Amino acid sequence: MPRRDRLRAGWRVKLRVLGALLLSLPLVTGCWDRLEIEMRATVLGLAIDLADSAAGGETNTSQGGSGPSRGASDPDTDDTRLDATASSGIQGPIRQHALRLTAQIAVPGRIPLGPGGGGGGSSGSSDPSQAVWVLHAEGLTLDEALQNLQQQVADRLFYGHLRIIVVSEALAREYGLQKTTDFLLRNPQVRRTVWLVVARANAAQLMETAPPLERVPALYLMATMDHAVQMGKFPNEFFGIFASKAVMKGREPVLPYVEVMQRDNVRISGLALFHGERMVATTARTFDITSYMQLQGVGPGGYSIMVPVPGQHGTVMWQAFRRKSKIQVRLQDGVPHFTVRIRLEGNIREKSQSGIQLNDPRVLAAIEQQVEREGREGLQEFIQRTQQLKIDPVGFGEYVRARQPRYWDAHVHTRDEWETLYQRATFDIQMQVKTDRIGMENV
Amino acid sequence: MVARRFQTVTVMEASAVLISTLIGVGVLALPRFAAEAGNTGGPLVTLLGLVIALVGLALVTMVGMRFPRESIVQYGERVIGRWPARVGTALLILYFAALTSLTAREFGMVVVTSVLERTPVAITTIVMLVMAAVSSRSNMSTFAYAHLFYLPFILIPGFGIVLLAMKNATWLNVQPWLGNNPHPMSMATGALTIAALCQGSFVMTFVVPAMREPRRALRSSVWAMVVASALYLLTVLTTIAVFGAEATKLLLWPTLELAKTTMLPGQVLERLDALFLIVWVTAVFTSLYSTYALTARALQELSGLRDHKLLCVFLLPYVFVIAMLPRDILQMYRAIEWLGRIGLVLTVGYPLLLLIVAVCRKQRGELDAEA
């Protein structure tokens, strides 16, 4: 019966085709996590202040009643700050001191892709304040504030391009950064290389400034930090490093400390020194950044100092371009004794008096001696100050832990125990200075 | 005796199978296991674990070379008797089925946590399992070719990322090499956990009979172990050097964070985690491929079936159900650590037992002339 056979074969083919179609069905459904780029609200920068200390005048947008968890607070009151005891059942001290969040969200299509020119003829794209959208929200923790922010934004917030987070000094000093950093570490989108900086006074201000050099304000802030690192003027202390140091027992984290100058520009004015996650001090002078970097032995040297030329009137500007440091530790009378050796190589950039004979080896040697003396004094002052503050930002404790493990294991169990010891530690600082070039002039 | 059809696997292919099997899902959490066990002594703990794994692999290979044309299922019956060997094989099947499912689940968890946050974990898990099941239907030659093909895609970016990450390393973080407050018990436990990550290499028991020259099998085992160990050690060393021992303990997947912190120079890629995940999917797939094929083939030989292809499909629902058993990520990691260490008794102890008995009874397998 060939006819029936043929029929059966036809059925079989049809079944197979159907089966293949059914199997391919799951492939055409797309994916759960599909999210078009214009459907996400890309957060470029965040500023976190204490709610009470934020500059007045601006109305808070995360009012009572705007979200389901705020139902209990009275919508009629003028006070739009988080009600201290409202909703969510959280009571007591943690209910107070909300964070005030300012976010910079990229406006799709307004972000210039290349340097300059990209905007074409449209006049709008050259105005920095139009490339981003600045929003405010409040919350007890960073994530709660972000959720309140989400309530105001149609698109899903995306943190993959978050480049800079500014926290106010008041928040860092009074409450520490625990409420801030946990979310950042837990969220897979956030980069560990994001810059976390402490701003003197109001952090939100940095999100609202619109510097003319870069069309996206947050990217300008990021560039400020990145270029300072490249020029050797600042250590590469990004957020991931902060998080690592915050759990080390022999080393305290530091963060960049910035302040807003006239209106639009920022100044990197030093380092915020931490004890764990809480800020305790700032470096006293800009030169302390140099001292810190010299002790780390990191990167290209970039700082220049003005030194008086011994025996003559006038000064020269001396700039380091290479540095190397070596720290050794041994035990002396039951306390750690550190020998710090630093080698600097640099250039002379400028002299203030034509009488200074730079081609005279004796003058050069005298300048080098002066650089060495000032550098060493700077280091000593910096170390003494941290000893007084009872914090160890350089990480001398890590040298003890790594190189004298037996002593460390016997004497140190907590961060505080090390810092008590650190106050008694002694130092021997040696510095070698070599001038390599004097520029395009012969004398 | 089933084998004899495919005796084409070369020493290099065998090494490739082992290397790509050894480098698997465990690489992500590896530095955390090491740091938890020995803080700055993490690299040392890793080294100890790798030595244990090498011993285990050497035992499997040596007993396999003694019976060059049979797998552990077949010679087991001749060496210690039919029923004791069947119990041993059944335990191995159960164990590797569980290992396969936990590997797939761990993979699914990582993907869901780090990239596809809204995709159900069951989907990411089953996609991987289906791929492993379909691939496992192939014969041993294809199996070896596939591993050899994927190897460069695992090794080159793998070493590349670690070497690039070394730029951020602070070598003070891995001193003292013995660890602060060294604790022998916790270091031993950590070494066992790390040795357990290498258990996929048990697949060698099926690779040896498919080899062209089984007498050179030990060479491929040692080479594979050297290469995989280099990557393991460098990963642990660099991760702890970059983050410090204390912070490494706090990271769920330190290696992934390492890739996130690392940039490709010249502003080409600002974070390498995407690249890393691509590499890592390949690495997980090859490991799953090995353990799944191992389970299916052991089951086939135990049941006396002529073909393992259908078993690959029948195994899938069981493996998937086991994969879905752990309630959450914490329970999953407890299960992985615990089951892994228990499994060492089986994957190191059983070949050792067979080898001792076979030597005592002076038993040996035949290597047929035509090879």
Side-chain angles (χ1 to χ4, degrees):
Chain A
M1 281 157 264
R3 200 180 120 83
R4 192 188 276 180
D5 261 6
R6 217 176 301 137
L7 229 128
R8 204 185 282 157
W11 268 109
R12 213 177 283 156
V13 168
K14 277 179 191 160
L15 265 176
R16 279 192 189 165
V17 170
L18 190 70
L21 282 175
L22 280 176
L23 275 177
S24 62
L25 208 60
L27 300 177
V28 298
T29 55
C31 95
W32 270 268
D33 287 271
R34 185 191 65 95
L35 193 57
E36 303 302 334
I37 196 156
E38 64 270 19
M39 304 277 277
R40 10 168 103 147
T42 302
V43 181
L44 293 174
L46 285 175
I48 307 162
D49 286 286
L50 281 173
D52 346 6
S53 73
E58 248 148 331
T59 46
N60 184 349
T61 33
S62 81
Q63 294 142 330
S66 68
S69 65
R70 301 280 162 266
S73 55
D74 186 358
D76 290 330
T77 47
D78 277 338
D79 181 17
T80 52
R81 286 216 327 266
L82 268 183
D83 196 321
T85 47
S87 67
S88 14
I90 304 167
Q91 311 257 319
I94 51 161
R95 200 61 190 126
Q96 299 153 15
H97 311 298
L99 305 177
R100 183 169 185 278
L101 190 74
T102 309
Q104 234 177 56
I105 295 171
V107 178
R110 291 258 180 76
I111 301 281
L113 290 174
S122 71
S123 55
S125 64
S126 61
D127 181 7
S129 60
Q130 289 199 1
V132 292
W133 189 26
V134 179
L135 289 170
H136 305 281
E138 286 194 7
L140 290 173
T141 61
L142 179 58
D143 192 35
E144 200 200 11
L146 285 170
Q147 289 311 307
N148 288 336
L149 184 70
Q150 183 71 78
Q151 296 283 68
Q152 314 166 39
V153 180
D155 301 330
R156 184 182 285 262
L157 294 176
F158 177 69
Y159 310 105
H161 292 297
L162 181 56
R163 306 311 283 271
I164 188 152
I165 300 161
V166 189
V167 291
S168 73
E169 183 174 353
L171 169 67
R173 274 185 192 266
E174 283 171 51
Y175 305 103
L177 298 181
Q178 292 94 332
K179 288 201 278 185
T180 316
T181 52
D182 188 78
F183 171 80
L184 300 173
L185 291 169
R186 223 172 266 281
N187 188 297
Q189 293 171 355
V190 178
R191 305 167 185 226
R192 281 184 85 85
T193 47
V194 60
W195 279 104
L196 181 62
V197 302
V198 176
R200 189 175 169 181
N202 193 353
Q205 206 181 335
L206 280 169
M207 289 293 122
E208 281 147 7
T209 53
L213 273 183
E214 177 91 52
R215 271 177 273 182
V216 184
L219 296 186
Y220 176 74
L221 278 176
M222 184 194 76
T224 307
M225 304 308 304
D226 283 349
H227 296 165
V229 171
Q230 281 161 21
M231 288 186 283
K233 289 184 185 294
F234 204 77
N236 197 7
E237 300 277 343
F238 51 83
F239 170 60
I241 291 182
F242 174 85
S244 293
K245 285 183 184 171
V247 291
M248 285 182 191
K249 284 182 192 140
R251 176 161 211 182
E252 297 292 356
V254 297
L255 285 180
Y257 183 69
V258 301
E259 54 192 313
V260 181
M261 299 308 281
Q262 294 96 26
R263 199 179 72 84
D264 286 345
N265 60 336
V266 289
R267 192 176 96 102
I268 306 173
S269 45
L271 292 167
L273 305 175
F274 279 74
H275 179 71
E277 301 236 351
R278 176 172 294 204
M279 178 176 164
V280 286
T282 58
T283 47
R285 313 168 295 169
T286 318
F287 191 67
D288 283 344
I289 306 177
T290 317
S291 300
Y292 176 81
M293 289 177 74
Q294 280 174 357
L295 289 166
Q296 306 282 305
V298 283
Y303 265 95
S304 36
I305 53 170
M306 185 188 257
V307 285
V309 181
Q312 300 192 34
H313 295 291
T315 57
V316 292
M317 286 294 282
W318 195 90
Q319 184 179 36
F321 64 84
R322 189 177 298 148
R323 65 184 141 224
K324 247 184 184 158
S325 80
K326 196 174 176 189
I327 299 178
Q328 285 173 318
V329 57
R330 63 193 158 86
L331 299 168
Q332 210 171 46
D333 310 322
V335 287
H337 174 81
F338 298 94
T339 309
V340 182
R341 286 197 187 85
I342 291 169
R343 269 186 56 194
L344 285 183
E345 281 178 57
N347 302 328
I348 289 174
R349 287 170 65 95
E350 182 188 42
K351 63 178 182 182
S352 67
Q353 291 274 326
S354 57
I356 302 170
Q357 295 291 316
L358 287 176
N359 53 2
D360 182 352
R362 280 170 305 174
V363 173
L364 212 58
I367 291 170
E368 282 172 3
Q369 248 173 28
Q370 187 65 26
V371 172
E372 190 235 296
R373 186 174 327 134
E374 295 204 356
R376 207 175 49 218
E377 278 165 11
L379 289 174
Q380 270 158 352
E381 274 170 43
F382 178 68
I383 291 171
Q384 271 166 18
R385 177 135 181 278
T386 59
Q387 281 180 311
Q388 280 159 15
L389 288 166
K390 214 183 162 205
I391 48 170
D392 179 9
V394 177
F396 288 107
E398 285 294 303
Y399 283 91
V400 182
R401 185 193 57 66
R403 304 268 162 81
Q404 303 283 349
R406 234 176 270 158
Y407 175 85
W408 176 269
D409 292 348
H411 290 84
V412 181
H413 305 94
T414 61
R415 191 188 284 273
D416 284 306
E417 274 178 349
W418 160 244
E419 272 151 7
T420 314
L421 267 176
Y422 176 63
Q423 290 186 305
R424 290 163 55 209
T426 49
F427 294 87
D428 175 21
I429 296 166
Q430 296 161 13
M431 208 167 196
Q432 258 186 3
V433 176
K434 182 178 161 265
T435 310
D436 201 54
R437 302 187 277 269
I438 56 169
M440 306 280 276
E441 287 283 298
N442 190 28
V443 286
Chain B
M1 299 300 143
V2 188
R4 182 179 287 199
R5 270 180 300 169
F6 302 106
Q7 293 162 359
T8 62
V9 179
T10 61
V11 175
M12 194 177 167
E13 284 167 8
S15 297
V17 169
L18 287 174
I19 295 170
S20 61
T21 306
L22 284 165
I23 301 167
V25 73
V27 176
L28 277 193
L30 172 73
R32 171 164 55 93
F33 292 147
E36 275 171 351
N39 57 69
T40 57
L44 180 70
V45 175
T46 314
L47 190 65
L48 288 176
L50 290 167
V51 168
I52 300 173
L54 178 63
V55 170
L57 178 58
L59 283 172
V60 177
T61 314
M62 270 148 62
V63 74
M65 284 158 70
R66 213 176 159 82
F67 302 94
R69 285 295 169 235
E70 295 163 86
S71 75
I72 200 161
V73 181
Q74 294 155 343
Y75 56 72
E77 294 191 8
R78 286 208 283 138
V79 174
I80 58 168
R82 166 166 280 195
W83 287 105
R86 289 198 162 180
V87 172
T89 308
L91 285 175
L92 279 177
I93 292 168
L94 281 178
Y95 178 67
F96 278 102
L99 195 70
T100 308
S101 20
L102 284 177
T103 306
R105 174 67 183 271
E106 191 179 353
F107 167 83
M109 272 302 198
V110 175
V111 171
V112 166
T113 311
S114 62
V115 196
L116 308 173
E117 290 181 70
R118 281 175 291 156
T119 307
V121 70
I123 299 299
T124 49
T125 308
I126 199 150
V127 164
M128 214 59 181
L129 282 176
V130 167
M131 269 172 62
V134 170
S135 319
S136 295
R137 291 163 58 89
S138 57
N139 60 45
M140 284 311 281
S141 316
T142 316
F143 176 79
Y145 283 143
H147 277 285
L148 187 64
F149 174 77
Y150 283 122
L151 192 65
F153 296 101
I154 299 172
L155 282 187
I156 295 170
F159 277 104
I161 289 170
V162 172
L163 293 178
L164 280 175
M166 277 190 183
K167 211 179 59 162
N168 294 329
T170 310
W171 298 111
L172 209 59
N173 286 339
V174 280
Q175 294 176 37
W177 60 275
L178 213 54
N180 287 106
N181 293 309
H183 199 288
M185 260 318 282
S186 96
M187 285 174 99
T189 317
L192 289 178
T193 307
I194 288 165
L197 300 178
C198 304
Q199 285 179 105
S201 60
F202 200 81
V203 75
M204 196 62 183
T205 192
F206 286 97
V207 174
V208 171
M211 278 179 79
R212 205 176 286 167
E213 293 171 284
R215 63 192 165 81
R216 296 175 70 188
L218 197 60
R219 190 173 307 184
S220 54
S221 291
V222 171
W223 265 113
M225 209 59 210
V226 166
V227 174
S229 298
L231 188 63
Y232 268 52
L233 272 175
L234 276 178
T235 307
V236 173
L237 200 68
T238 311
T239 311
I240 297 183
V242 168
F243 296 121
E246 296 301 318
T248 309
K249 289 181 207 173
L250 301 180
L251 300 170
L252 196 52
W253 297 304
T255 316
L256 187 59
E257 295 287 351
L258 184 74
K260 244 169 105 172
T261 314
T262 307
M263 296 183 186
L264 206 59
Q267 302 209 316
V268 182
L269 277 179
E270 283 186 325
R271 45 196 280 185
L272 294 180
D273 52 339
L275 176 68
F276 177 79
L277 279 172
I278 295 167
V279 177
W280 178 75
V281 168
T282 320
V284 173
F285 166 70
T286 51
S287 310
L288 266 182
Y289 184 12
S290 289
T291 53
Y292 201 99
L294 170 62
T295 315
R297 279 171 188 276
L299 194 59
Q300 172 231 329
E301 293 190 3
L302 181 70
S303 59
L305 292 173
R306 274 180 47 205
D307 196 79
H308 70 284
K309 289 184 180 162
L310 209 55
L311 281 174
C312 289
V313 181
F314 286 155
L315 263 176
L316 190 58
Y318 296 98
V319 173
F320 178 65
V321 166
I322 304 174
M324 288 297 110
L325 281 182
R327 201 171 56 92
D328 52 50
I329 193 161
L330 301 170
Q331 206 181 50
M332 180 192 83
Y333 267 111
R334 276 199 296 274
I336 287 170
E337 287 187 51
W338 181 80
L339 198 75
R341 289 198 293 261
I342 302 283
L344 281 176
V345 178
L346 203 62
T347 54
V348 180
Y350 189 54
L352 181 66
L353 176 80
L354 291 185
L355 191 64
I356 291 172
V357 174
V359 168
C360 291
R361 292 179 62 182
K362 298 203 171 60
Q363 280 178 315
R364 233 169 225 296
E366 294 290 311
L367 185 67
D368 30 30
E370 45 150 352

mmCIF file of all heavy atoms in Angstrom, chain A residues 332-358:
data_model
loop_
_atom_site.group_PDB
_atom_site.id
_atom_site.type_symbol
_atom_site.label_atom_id
_atom_site.label_comp_id
_atom_site.label_asym_id
_atom_site.label_seq_id
_atom_site.Cartn_x
_atom_site.Cartn_y
_atom_site.Cartn_z
ATOM 1 N N GLN A 332 61.441 48.305 68.020
ATOM 2 C CA GLN A 332 62.431 48.954 68.873
ATOM 3 C C GLN A 332 61.738 49.233 70.204
ATOM 4 O O GLN A 332 60.736 49.956 70.231
ATOM 5 C CB GLN A 332 62.865 50.267 68.199
ATOM 6 C CG GLN A 332 64.276 50.663 68.528
ATOM 7 C CD GLN A 332 64.698 51.830 67.667
ATOM 8 O OE1 GLN A 332 63.957 52.793 67.525
ATOM 9 N NE2 GLN A 332 65.874 51.754 67.086
ATOM 10 N N ASP A 333 62.230 48.650 71.253
ATOM 11 C CA ASP A 333 61.638 48.817 72.591
ATOM 12 C C ASP A 333 60.136 48.504 72.583
ATOM 13 O O ASP A 333 59.332 49.232 73.180
ATOM 14 C CB ASP A 333 61.830 50.247 73.127
ATOM 15 C CG ASP A 333 63.272 50.689 73.004
ATOM 16 O OD1 ASP A 333 64.154 49.830 73.234
ATOM 17 O OD2 ASP A 333 63.513 51.857 72.662
ATOM 18 N N GLY A 334 59.746 47.485 71.863
ATOM 19 C CA GLY A 334 58.348 47.077 71.888
ATOM 20 C C GLY A 334 57.401 47.906 71.063
ATOM 21 O O GLY A 334 56.199 47.653 71.075
ATOM 22 N N VAL A 335 57.916 48.909 70.363
ATOM 23 C CA VAL A 335 57.038 49.645 69.442
ATOM 24 C C VAL A 335 57.655 49.615 68.048
ATOM 25 O O VAL A 335 58.871 49.515 67.901
ATOM 26 C CB VAL A 335 56.818 51.121 69.868
ATOM 27 C CG1 VAL A 335 55.914 51.201 71.071
ATOM 28 C CG2 VAL A 335 58.129 51.821 70.090
ATOM 29 N N PRO A 336 56.812 49.711 67.032
ATOM 30 C CA PRO A 336 57.327 49.681 65.666
ATOM 31 C C PRO A 336 58.147 50.927 65.365
ATOM 32 O O PRO A 336 57.775 52.030 65.768
ATOM 33 C CB PRO A 336 56.067 49.634 64.802
ATOM 34 C CG PRO A 336 54.950 49.314 65.715
ATOM 35 C CD PRO A 336 55.346 49.767 67.067
ATOM 36 N N HIS A 337 59.249 50.732 64.674
ATOM 37 C CA HIS A 337 60.061 51.847 64.218
ATOM 38 C C HIS A 337 60.149 51.759 62.699
ATOM 39 O O HIS A 337 60.536 50.732 62.151
ATOM 40 C CB HIS A 337 61.460 51.776 64.840
ATOM 41 C CG HIS A 337 62.378 52.814 64.298
ATOM 42 N ND1 HIS A 337 62.368 54.101 64.754
ATOM 43 C CD2 HIS A 337 63.316 52.769 63.314
ATOM 44 C CE1 HIS A 337 63.266 54.810 64.093
ATOM 45 N NE2 HIS A 337 63.854 54.019 63.200
ATOM 46 N N PHE A 338 59.757 52.827 62.038
ATOM 47 C CA PHE A 338 59.709 52.803 60.586
ATOM 48 C C PHE A 338 60.852 53.601 59.999
ATOM 49 O O PHE A 338 61.155 54.699 60.462
ATOM 50 C CB PHE A 338 58.392 53.404 60.083
ATOM 51 C CG PHE A 338 57.184 52.633 60.526
ATOM 52 C CD1 PHE A 338 56.497 52.999 61.675
ATOM 53 C CD2 PHE A 338 56.749 51.538 59.803
ATOM 54 C CE1 PHE A 338 55.388 52.289 62.087
ATOM 55 C CE2 PHE A 338 55.640 50.825 60.207
ATOM 56 C CZ PHE A 338 54.951 51.194 61.353
ATOM 57 N N THR A 339 61.475 53.025 58.975
ATOM 58 C CA THR A 339 62.464 53.765 58.211
ATOM 59 C C THR A 339 61.857 54.039 56.841
ATOM 60 O O THR A 339 61.516 53.116 56.109
ATOM 61 C CB THR A 339 63.751 52.940 58.048
ATOM 62 O OG1 THR A 339 64.129 52.479 59.348
ATOM 63 C CG2 THR A 339 64.855 53.767 57.452
ATOM 64 N N VAL A 340 61.685 55.313 56.546
ATOM 65 C CA VAL A 340 61.070 55.703 55.282
ATOM 66 C C VAL A 340 62.148 56.290 54.394
ATOM 67 O O VAL A 340 62.840 57.223 54.786
ATOM 68 C CB VAL A 340 59.966 56.760 55.516
ATOM 69 C CG1 VAL A 340 59.295 57.124 54.208
ATOM 70 C CG2 VAL A 340 58.953 56.255 56.518
ATOM 71 N N ARG A 341 62.321 55.704 53.214
ATOM 72 C CA ARG A 341 63.300 56.250 52.266
ATOM 73 C C ARG A 341 62.551 56.697 51.023
ATOM 74 O O ARG A 341 61.827 55.925 50.409
ATOM 75 C CB ARG A 341 64.310 55.171 51.868
ATOM 76 C CG ARG A 341 65.313 54.868 52.958
ATOM 77 C CD ARG A 341 66.510 54.123 52.395
ATOM 78 N NE ARG A 341 67.355 53.712 53.496
ATOM 79 C CZ ARG A 341 67.159 52.591 54.191
ATOM 80 N NH1 ARG A 341 66.165 51.785 53.877
ATOM 81 N NH2 ARG A 341 67.944 52.279 55.186
ATOM 82 N N ILE A 342 62.751 57.947 50.668
ATOM 83 C CA ILE A 342 62.053 58.466 49.494
ATOM 84 C C ILE A 342 63.054 59.054 48.525
ATOM 85 O O ILE A 342 63.964 59.798 48.927
ATOM 86 C CB ILE A 342 60.998 59.515 49.913
ATOM 87 C CG1 ILE A 342 59.869 58.804 50.650
ATOM 88 C CG2 ILE A 342 60.449 60.253 48.696
ATOM 89 C CD1 ILE A 342 58.924 59.717 51.340
ATOM 90 N N ARG A 343 62.901 58.683 47.268
ATOM 91 C CA ARG A 343 63.766 59.259 46.217
ATOM 92 C C ARG A 343 62.924 60.101 45.293
ATOM 93 O O ARG A 343 61.917 59.659 44.782
ATOM 94 C CB ARG A 343 64.431 58.141 45.420
ATOM 95 C CG ARG A 343 65.770 57.739 45.977
ATOM 96 C CD ARG A 343 66.420 56.741 45.066
ATOM 97 N NE ARG A 343 66.556 57.245 43.706
ATOM 98 C CZ ARG A 343 66.852 56.453 42.673
ATOM 99 N NH1 ARG A 343 67.014 55.174 42.856
ATOM 100 N NH2 ARG A 343 66.978 56.971 41.460
ATOM 101 N N LEU A 344 63.356 61.322 45.095
ATOM 102 C CA LEU A 344 62.612 62.219 44.217
ATOM 103 C C LEU A 344 63.489 62.635 43.059
ATOM 104 O O LEU A 344 64.676 62.920 43.232
ATOM 105 C CB LEU A 344 62.186 63.483 44.971
ATOM 106 C CG LEU A 344 61.052 63.413 45.958
ATOM 107 C CD1 LEU A 344 60.806 64.803 46.503
ATOM 108 C CD2 LEU A 344 59.803 62.878 45.308
ATOM 109 N N GLU A 345 62.894 62.683 41.876
ATOM 110 C CA GLU A 345 63.585 63.280 40.741
ATOM 111 C C GLU A 345 62.700 64.388 40.212
ATOM 112 O O GLU A 345 61.473 64.237 40.190
ATOM 113 C CB GLU A 345 63.812 62.244 39.643
ATOM 114 C CG GLU A 345 64.987 61.330 39.926
ATOM 115 C CD GLU A 345 65.144 60.293 38.839
ATOM 116 O OE1 GLU A 345 65.292 60.681 37.676
ATOM 117 O OE2 GLU A 345 65.092 59.101 39.172
ATOM 118 N N GLY A 346 63.296 65.495 39.835
ATOM 119 C CA GLY A 346 62.437 66.598 39.398
ATOM 120 C C GLY A 346 63.128 67.591 38.503
ATOM 121 O O GLY A 346 64.279 67.412 38.109
ATOM 122 N N ASN A 347 62.364 68.613 38.170
ATOM 123 C CA ASN A 347 62.842 69.686 37.282
ATOM 124 C C ASN A 347 62.735 71.015 38.004
ATOM 125 O O ASN A 347 61.892 71.176 38.874
ATOM 126 C CB ASN A 347 61.948 69.821 36.055
ATOM 127 C CG ASN A 347 61.869 68.549 35.275
ATOM 128 O OD1 ASN A 347 62.821 67.784 35.239
ATOM 129 N ND2 ASN A 347 60.722 68.320 34.677
ATOM 130 N N ILE A 348 63.513 71.956 37.542
ATOM 131 C CA ILE A 348 63.288 73.321 37.987
ATOM 132 C C ILE A 348 62.465 74.007 36.906
ATOM 133 O O ILE A 348 62.801 73.955 35.714
ATOM 134 C CB ILE A 348 64.621 74.051 38.238
ATOM 135 C CG1 ILE A 348 65.246 73.451 39.503
ATOM 136 C CG2 ILE A 348 64.385 75.554 38.400
ATOM 137 C CD1 ILE A 348 66.619 73.953 39.797
ATOM 138 N N ARG A 349 61.367 74.613 37.307
ATOM 139 C CA ARG A 349 60.440 75.199 36.328
ATOM 140 C C ARG A 349 60.629 76.702 36.174
ATOM 141 O O ARG A 349 60.341 77.258 35.142
ATOM 142 C CB ARG A 349 58.997 74.926 36.763
ATOM 143 C CG ARG A 349 58.560 73.499 36.593
ATOM 144 C CD ARG A 349 57.219 73.280 37.259
ATOM 145 N NE ARG A 349 56.175 74.059 36.613
ATOM 146 C CZ ARG A 349 55.386 73.561 35.662
ATOM 147 N NH1 ARG A 349 55.542 72.322 35.261
ATOM 148 N NH2 ARG A 349 54.462 74.299 35.124
ATOM 149 N N GLU A 350 61.078 77.344 37.243
ATOM 150 C CA GLU A 350 61.088 78.804 37.207
ATOM 151 C C GLU A 350 62.022 79.311 38.291
ATOM 152 O O GLU A 350 62.126 78.702 39.361
ATOM 153 C CB GLU A 350 59.660 79.311 37.497
ATOM 154 C CG GLU A 350 59.481 80.797 37.463
ATOM 155 C CD GLU A 350 58.109 81.213 37.957
ATOM 156 O OE1 GLU A 350 57.638 80.639 38.969
ATOM 157 O OE2 GLU A 350 57.505 82.091 37.327
ATOM 158 N N LYS A 351 62.685 80.409 38.022
ATOM 159 C CA LYS A 351 63.409 81.085 39.093
ATOM 160 C C LYS A 351 62.911 82.512 39.166
ATOM 161 O O LYS A 351 62.477 83.082 38.157
ATOM 162 C CB LYS A 351 64.919 81.020 38.866
ATOM 163 C CG LYS A 351 65.397 81.730 37.619
ATOM 164 C CD LYS A 351 66.917 81.650 37.527
ATOM 165 C CE LYS A 351 67.392 82.401 36.286
ATOM 166 N NZ LYS A 351 68.860 82.311 36.123
ATOM 167 N N SER A 352 62.986 83.078 40.362
ATOM 168 C CA SER A 352 62.357 84.387 40.517
ATOM 169 C C SER A 352 63.359 85.515 40.335
ATOM 170 O O SER A 352 62.974 86.665 40.214
ATOM 171 C CB SER A 352 61.710 84.487 41.895
ATOM 172 O OG SER A 352 62.718 84.477 42.879
ATOM 173 N N GLN A 353 64.651 85.210 40.341
ATOM 174 C CA GLN A 353 65.677 86.256 40.249
ATOM 175 C C GLN A 353 66.679 85.871 39.186
ATOM 176 O O GLN A 353 67.109 84.725 39.109
ATOM 177 C CB GLN A 353 66.433 86.353 41.588
ATOM 178 C CG GLN A 353 65.618 86.902 42.717
ATOM 179 C CD GLN A 353 65.661 88.411 42.747
ATOM 180 O OE1 GLN A 353 66.666 89.011 42.414
ATOM 181 N NE2 GLN A 353 64.548 89.026 43.141
ATOM 182 N N SER A 354 67.062 86.834 38.375
ATOM 183 C CA SER A 354 68.033 86.497 37.329
ATOM 184 C C SER A 354 69.405 86.201 37.931
ATOM 185 O O SER A 354 70.248 85.596 37.295
ATOM 186 C CB SER A 354 68.133 87.645 36.321
ATOM 187 O OG SER A 354 68.476 88.839 36.999
ATOM 188 N N GLY A 355 69.622 86.610 39.158
ATOM 189 C CA GLY A 355 70.911 86.377 39.783
ATOM 190 C C GLY A 355 71.180 84.928 40.152
ATOM 191 O O GLY A 355 72.314 84.538 40.409
ATOM 192 N N ILE A 356 70.173 84.102 40.181
ATOM 193 C CA ILE A 356 70.372 82.709 40.586
ATOM 194 C C ILE A 356 71.034 81.943 39.454
ATOM 195 O O ILE A 356 70.511 81.858 38.353
ATOM 196 C CB ILE A 356 69.019 82.069 40.959
ATOM 197 C CG1 ILE A 356 68.352 82.858 42.091
ATOM 198 C CG2 ILE A 356 69.211 80.627 41.373
ATOM 199 C CD1 ILE A 356 66.928 82.463 42.364
ATOM 200 N N GLN A 357 72.219 81.433 39.703
ATOM 201 C CA GLN A 357 72.984 80.719 38.678
ATOM 202 C C GLN A 357 72.673 79.228 38.756
ATOM 203 O O GLN A 357 73.284 78.475 39.493
ATOM 204 C CB GLN A 357 74.493 80.942 38.887
ATOM 205 C CG GLN A 357 74.935 82.368 38.691
ATOM 206 C CD GLN A 357 74.835 82.785 37.218
ATOM 207 O OE1 GLN A 357 75.228 82.045 36.320
ATOM 208 N NE2 GLN A 357 74.291 83.980 36.979
ATOM 209 N N LEU A 358 71.719 78.807 37.933
ATOM 210 C CA LEU A 358 71.326 77.403 38.022
ATOM 211 C C LEU A 358 72.383 76.472 37.437
ATOM 212 O O LEU A 358 72.395 75.285 37.720
ATOM 213 C CB LEU A 358 69.994 77.188 37.297
ATOM 214 C CG LEU A 358 68.775 77.750 38.029
ATOM 215 C CD1 LEU A 358 67.547 77.564 37.193
ATOM 216 C CD2 LEU A 358 68.605 77.097 39.384
#
